[in-house]
């Protein structure tokens, strides 16, 4: 059974950056596309981007281009998402989620990011 | 971007009821449609992929159908643990986009 375990809650000031990690269990890491999504308080899901199984290719949503960086470390089966130039509207729960294709089969537990001065 | 429209946005039901939620895509997405369930304060749980295939471990009371632009999720007999918000999303192309959710409540 695949498990995705994310790093803990973060608090940042406006203008700062945050890096969230997501560690995958099992032998799926090298086959999984890993997505990053977020959910603002009381809102629906918003897709941010995806990194390919090898980590060699990333695609991000247009509204996050230039602010989001995704990377993977195959030695630790961990993917990372860094979001820069934070503003209050970035306060949300951030999820990693993975699947063998572009679909999402499994979700991480979520990481709460609070952006506040 | 492909727009996903879910209806209804909420519904009231009772234990044992059969409920159906619909999802419409703004363009043909084939069968690249998935459904997931989310309970308050919890991470989403994937239920269905490829419009009608059950994820491993998901009970057969959940079923999905449709192709092209019109899709539906049916829960055959609601149980207390099924009261949650349900979302559809497409994965036909990037960006993935999501329906607005359907809250199923008593």
């Amino acid at each position: 059974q695949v498990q995705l375990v994310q790093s803990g809650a973060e608090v940042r000031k406006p203008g700062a950056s945050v890096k969230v990690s997501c560690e995958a269990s099992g032998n799926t890491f090298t086959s999984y596309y890993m997505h990053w999504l977020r959910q603002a308080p009381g809102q629906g899901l918003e897709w941010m981007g995806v990194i390919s199984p090898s980590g060699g290719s990333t695609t991000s949503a247009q509204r996050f281009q230039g602010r989001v960086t995704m990377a993977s470390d195959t030695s630790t089966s961990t993917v990372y998402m860094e979001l820069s130039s934070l503003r209050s509207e970035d306060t949300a729960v951030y999820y990693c989620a993975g699947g063998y294709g572009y679909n999402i089969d499994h979700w991480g537990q979520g990481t709460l990011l609070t952006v506040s001065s | 971007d492909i727009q996903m429209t879910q209806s209804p946005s909420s519904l009231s039901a009772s234990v044992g009821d059969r409920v159906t939620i619909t999802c419409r895509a703004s363009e043909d997405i084939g069968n690249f449609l998935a459904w997931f369930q989310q309970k308050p304060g919890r991470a989403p749980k994937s239920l269905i992929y490829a419009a009608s295939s059950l994820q491993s471990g998901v009970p057969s009371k959940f079923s999905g159908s449709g192709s092209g632009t019109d899709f539906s999720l049916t829960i055959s007999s609601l149980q207390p643990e099924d009261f949650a918000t349900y979302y559809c999303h497409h994965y036909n192309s990037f960006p993935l986009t999501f329906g607005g959710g359907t809250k199923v409540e008593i």
Side-chain angles (χ1 to χ4, degrees):
Chain A
Q1 178 72 331
V2 176
Q3 278 199 313
L4 303 177
V5 180
Q6 298 182 224
S7 50
E10 303 273 11
V11 179
R12 294 286 186 273
K13 294 187 182 303
S17 298
V18 69
K19 193 171 187 177
V20 181
S21 67
C22 171
E23 182 177 356
S25 65
N27 299 321
T28 57
F29 187 76
T30 55
S31 304
Y32 248 32
Y33 285 83
M34 297 294 290
H35 301 264
W36 288 94
L37 308 98
R38 73 180 188 181
Q39 188 170 35
Q43 303 300 308
L45 271 289
E46 180 176 29
W47 183 81
M48 300 178 68
V50 63
I51 185 165
S52 65
S54 63
S57 174
T58 62
T59 301
S60 58
Q62 188 170 15
R63 64 172 293 179
F64 296 106
Q65 287 178 3
R67 280 214 300 148
V68 69
T69 303
M70 292 169 283
S72 69
D73 182 344
T74 55
S75 68
T76 60
S77 299
T78 301
V79 292
Y80 301 90
M81 186 280 298
E82 184 170 22
L83 188 63
S84 62
S85 303
L86 292 170
R87 34 209 187 231
S88 58
E89 309 89 88
D90 294 319
T91 293
V93 177
Y94 288 76
Y95 293 102
C96 65
Y100 288 106
Y102 295 152
N103 184 37
I104 293 172
D105 297 319
H106 295 96
W107 298 75
Q109 84 277 19
T111 297
L112 175 62
L113 168 65
T114 302
V115 182
S116 174
S117 55
Chain B
D1 299 357
I2 297 172
Q3 305 303 312
M4 306 299 294
T5 304
Q6 260 182 262
S7 61
S9 57
S10 66
L11 66 90
S12 295
S14 301
V15 172
D17 282 355
R18 176 186 178 95
V19 300
T20 297
I21 300 166
T22 64
C23 179
R24 174 166 288 178
S26 61
E27 62 186 76
D28 190 336
I29 58 170
N31 69 338
F32 294 106
L33 189 282
W35 293 92
F36 63 91
Q37 175 195 68
Q38 189 174 32
K39 296 179 179 179
R42 303 286 298 274
K45 174 186 176 183
S46 293
L47 300 174
I48 286 172
Y49 66 99
S52 61
S53 297
L54 280 178
Q55 288 281 358
S56 176
V58 173
S60 59
K61 61 182 172 181
F62 293 97
S63 63
S65 66
S67 67
T69 61
D70 293 305
F71 303 87
S72 64
L73 171 71
T74 297
I75 309 171
S76 62
S77 178
L78 269 177
Q79 297 303 304
E81 63 270 20
D82 301 328
F83 291 92
T85 300
Y86 294 84
Y87 295 89
C88 64
H89 77 89
H90 83 83
Y91 52 101
N92 179 68
S93 59
F94 297 139
L96 306 190
T97 54
F98 295 77
T102 297
K103 186 174 184 179
V104 177
E105 51 195 351
I106 299 173

